[in-house]
Amino acid sequence: MPVIERLTAIFEKVFDVEADEFSPDLTPEDVLRWDSLGHMTLVMDLEDAFKVHFEVDEITEMTSAGKIIEMLQAKGAVGQVANLSHEQGERSE
Amino acid sequence: MIAIQPYAERHTEAVRCFNDRLKAGSVESRFPLSPIPAWLPKIAGRKIFQEYYLTVDEENAVRGGYILKHQDFCIKDRVLSIADYHLPISEGAVNKSYPQIGAMLLRDAIGRQPLLYGLGMGGYQEPLARMLLATGWSMFSVPFYFRVVRPTAFLRNIAFLRRSAAKRMALDLSAATGLGWLGIHAFQAFRVLKEAKVPAAEVELVDEFSDWVDELWNSCKERYGMSAVRDAETLRILYPKNNDRFIRLKISRRSRPIGWVVVLDSQLSGHKHFGDMRLGSIADCFASVADTAVVVGAARRYLESRGVDLIVSNQSHIAWQRGFRQAGFLGGPSNFIFAASRELTELLRREGVENDDLHFNRGDGDGPINL
């Protein structure tokens, strides 16, 4: 579940979606601030957080939170998430 | 699957439908209905041209588009092709199902030409400026200069100063009583006192730009940190002989050309900033950095003699800013924004080019279309 946890945090930061409201089913129609500017910010935050790069074609496919999770997993971002979570844990100790 | 493709004839009907959806959603922008640009089409051998790109979905519906205007720029002593990113339009503006289009357009443009700039945009609060800022582009507003020629028309039309009923009433009263006329003339006369030191120059109306422009460009270009190539060939493309909207002025001193100016003289009607004024604008210009005040002063007097109500200009280079002030212009609020991509910003940083060493005005970007 680390991808979802991290994505939840990014959705909260970019779109003001509370953690308990986050779901893989979320689409732009469900989220008030998921507009063009929000989407650009989302892409950049995902790239920063997961150390990945999205091609133009991939940006097209980001039509729901679930699709984004699938894309991150396909890019092998799970390990990065695990590392991030580990670093956060270390910092908080 | 949505993909970005060069605009072709087969897309024309889909672009028309896209524009209809924008109109239905109260979005003012429209994408061109012809795939071949009316302004600056791609012609073999030309280094200045426009390209149109579209986002097209699996049902061949157009969901967005943008334009790149490619042009040679001189940065210090290097000539590089740089592109203006303009008119990005997204279905996302009218349909919440398409928020990804804006990011696609920008990513695609940077992929094709990393050295990108944007110009105008209507201010920092506008969606494009906000998106470019969010993606790390550097930005500054290009200073605005104006000179009131006919105070009564100015007071009755200038939207910026007429935002409330009380202000409108006060301005109408000062226009009717002549107090506004007196105040504006007195204030500007004080500013023109400084111009008395500026040497006079000869102004000649020319049909097109010829070899003397090249001599001027070659002798002065290296004093500018960055400028679009302003040689005779480029100017003949930008300001063609057969377009009588552009007024081309050759400015000389003792019969030697020292600069050129492209001015416009437009009778406006219901303009959102200038109402129904007859607007003179100094759209483009070039000269030695030492001669800017002489050139601006000559252009100003020419436009005044034509009977315009107000003269306006936007200028980014410090020598031209100084020239406008010395020629009796006042500074005003500017919503004309220059933005540089991360790659262009980094290039300028490496070359040691500061913002006020860039020469951008209304002749750059998508041209003097709103004047």
Side-chain angles (χ1 to χ4, degrees), chain A residues 1-59:
Chain A
M1 295 294 281
V3 171
I4 290 187
E5 285 170 16
R6 188 67 179 152
L7 192 59
T8 303
I10 291 174
F11 264 62
E12 186 164 11
K13 179 184 162 222
V14 177
F15 297 139
D16 274 345
V17 172
E18 300 285 343
D20 57 0
E21 293 170 359
F22 181 83
S23 141
D25 297 331
L26 283 180
T27 68
E29 286 89 345
D30 306 319
V31 180
L32 183 65
R33 291 179 62 181
W34 195 341
D35 56 10
S36 296
L37 179 61
H39 196 85
M40 187 80 237
T41 310
L42 172 69
V43 171
M44 293 179 66
D45 278 19
L46 291 171
E47 289 180 338
D48 269 359
F50 295 106
K51 307 289 184 268
V52 294
H53 177 76
F54 293 105
E55 298 298 333
V56 173
D57 295 349
E58 294 173 314
I59 292 172

Side-chain angles (χ1 to χ4, degrees), chain B residues 4-310:
Chain B
I4 298 191
Q5 304 172 11
Y7 188 173
E9 198 65 50
R10 66 180 183 280
H11 298 125
T12 306
E13 189 51 38
V15 169
R16 191 187 306 280
C17 295
F18 175 57
N19 284 342
D20 287 346
R21 294 193 298 277
L22 293 173
K23 187 178 178 184
S26 302
V27 172
E28 283 181 19
S29 301
R30 303 283 181 271
F31 209 74
L33 281 175
S34 168
I36 299 168
W39 186 58
L40 306 179
K42 192 171 187 176
I43 293 174
R46 272 195 187 176
K47 293 176 178 174
I48 179 168
F49 59 92
Q50 293 196 105
E51 289 178 321
Y52 296 167
Y53 292 96
L54 300 174
T55 51
V56 183
D57 71 12
E58 58 277 7
E59 291 167 352
N60 290 321
V62 168
R63 301 297 179 187
Y66 71 90
I67 298 174
L68 288 182
K69 175 195 171 199
H70 301 273
Q71 186 173 11
D72 275 356
F73 277 75
C74 194
I75 297 181
K76 296 280 181 153
D77 54 352
R78 300 165 64 190
V79 175
L80 294 166
S81 182
I82 292 172
D84 168 39
Y85 176 68
H86 68 105
L87 202 66
I89 313 180
S90 160
E91 185 95 32
V94 293
N95 185 338
K96 240 185 109 36
S97 299
Y98 295 93
Q100 71 274 44
I101 303 293
M104 284 181 68
L105 299 175
L106 186 54
R107 276 283 166 98
D108 188 76
I110 288 173
R112 291 177 197 276
Q113 169 54 288
L115 298 176
L116 283 182
Y117 76 94
L119 194 64
M121 294 181 274
Y124 290 108
Q125 76 288 352
E126 294 298 317
L128 176 58
R130 290 167 60 208
M131 177 170 284
L132 298 182
L133 205 55
T135 50
W137 287 41
S138 59
M139 285 188 189
F140 64 88
S141 60
V142 179
F144 172 70
Y145 294 94
F146 69 100
R147 180 167 177 84
V148 180
V149 183
R150 296 176 189 272
T152 303
F154 174 78
L155 292 168
R156 290 199 165 126
N157 286 280
I158 188 74
F160 176 71
L161 298 175
R162 298 174 63 88
R163 285 183 177 164
S164 69
K167 285 178 180 172
R168 285 194 291 276
M169 189 183 293
L171 290 177
D172 286 341
L173 191 65
S174 62
T177 59
L179 279 175
W181 184 94
L182 199 63
I184 287 172
H185 271 299
F187 187 64
Q188 291 191 148
F190 170 73
R191 299 297 299 249
V192 171
L193 283 177
K194 292 180 182 173
E195 200 201 351
K197 298 172 194 160
V198 176
E202 302 121 40
V203 179
E204 182 188 347
L205 208 59
V206 293
D207 285 341
E208 66 176 346
F209 290 110
S210 56
D211 294 349
W212 61 271
V213 166
D214 286 335
E215 289 172 28
L216 195 66
W217 167 250
N218 288 322
S219 64
C220 303
K221 64 186 178 188
E222 287 176 15
R223 294 293 302 276
Y224 292 83
M226 176 183 181
S227 169
V229 169
R230 284 170 159 88
D231 60 10
E233 183 188 359
T234 306
L235 296 187
R236 282 194 292 266
I237 295 168
L238 286 172
Y239 309 112
K241 189 178 180 177
N242 60 4
N243 189 332
D244 57 10
R245 188 162 175 258
F246 300 122
I247 303 166
R248 303 158 205 81
L249 304 179
K250 176 183 181 181
I251 316 294
S252 305
R253 192 164 51 208
R254 290 186 288 278
S255 302
R256 190 178 67 85
I258 58 164
W260 57 261
V261 181
V262 174
V263 301
L264 283 77
D265 177 351
S266 313
Q267 178 57 60
L268 304 178
S269 176
H271 189 281
K272 66 177 176 180
H273 298 308
F274 305 120
D276 299 331
M277 272 189 274
R278 182 171 170 185
L279 184 71
S281 46
I282 298 177
D284 201 355
C285 47
F286 193 74
S288 158
V289 293
D291 290 327
T292 56
V294 183
V295 169
V296 176
R300 192 202 94 195
R301 284 188 290 276
Y302 174 80
L303 281 167
E304 286 174 349
S305 73
R306 287 179 67 101
V308 300
D309 297 322
L310 176 72

